[in-house]
Amino acid sequence: MPLTEAVRADLTSERRIGLVYPSYDFNAPPAVRSLVPRLRINKQAYVFIIIPCGAQAGNSIWSVRRQLREKGIDVSYSHKIRVPDNSAIVFGRNPNDQEWKFSRFADRLATITADVQAERKGLHFAWWSPLAWVMGTERMVQWMLRTFRPSVNEEKCIGCGICARVCPMRNIAVDEKAGIGPHCTACLACLHACPQQAIEVGGKPSLQAHQYRHPEVKLKDLFRKE
């Protein structure tokens, strides 16, 4: 269930609740942190958090765990699983070269699955990180957003609207060309989905060979539910 749908649902009858979200800039994405306090969850439920991330989880588990604790909800289990880093494209690296992570971390994923099914307790990667705190300061956040904020190459854009349909923030409008608004969280979904490679970061061309999507995920699966 998408988190945007979950905040509108009454989940108090559910005995097991899992939150799965990526790590952005060593923290939970801003959209996740804004929505979690609105969740209606039974305080007796078994709650777990799983972070898929390119490398470091940072404070992505700790920050949401703290939010839930303020609501009287304890997180019983947390872990991370490493996956291809889609932000690598910003630095000229190919996320498709990181598919080795699937096989290397298969055993960990199996362990996580078994732990959750058995409702075991265990907090992994859930503690406060000073490095993540530094990266989360307002100055660093604004610098990261400027660095990773995508823009539209109007010479390449054909106005197909795919970028607008995959943007989780409803931050892209399409007239004849796409236009990116002020509420970007630099998830880069638009960059990886654009069939014309018209979404760029830092003015550098986006290479089709470096666009990434999980091999079992179709483009339509990424379209935002209206």
Side-chain angles (χ1 to χ4, degrees), residues 1 14 24 69 74 101 112 154 161 168 196 199 211:
M1 178 185 290
E14 302 292 338
Y24 287 179
R69 191 187 301 123
D74 289 327
K101 293 178 180 177
I112 291 171
E154 294 190 356
Q196 302 297 315
I199 307 293
Q211 289 176 304

Side-chain angles (χ1 to χ4, degrees), residues 17 19 23 76 84 86 101 111 132 143 164 167 173 186 188 218 225:
I17 297 287
L19 297 173
S23 175
S76 298
N86 76 334
K101 293 178 180 177
T111 297
W143 178 82
C167 177
L188 305 183
K218 297 181 174 61
K225 305 298 186 294

Side-chain angles (χ1 to χ4, degrees), residues 7 14 23 52 112 127 136 155 172:
V7 297
E14 302 292 338
S23 175
I112 291 171
W127 311 111
E155 294 183 1
I172 301 178

Side-chain angles (χ1 to χ4, degrees), residues 152 163 171-175 177-181:
V152 179
C163 57
N171 189 51
I172 301 178
V174 179
D175 190 359
K177 304 288 184 179
I180 298 176

Side-chain angles (χ1 to χ4, degrees), residues 50 77 79-81 107-117:
I50 306 300
Y77 185 88
H79 222 311
K80 76 171 183 179
I81 187 77
D107 289 344
R108 178 183 293 181
L109 185 57
T111 297
I112 291 171
T113 301
D115 287 346
V116 168
Q117 289 176 339

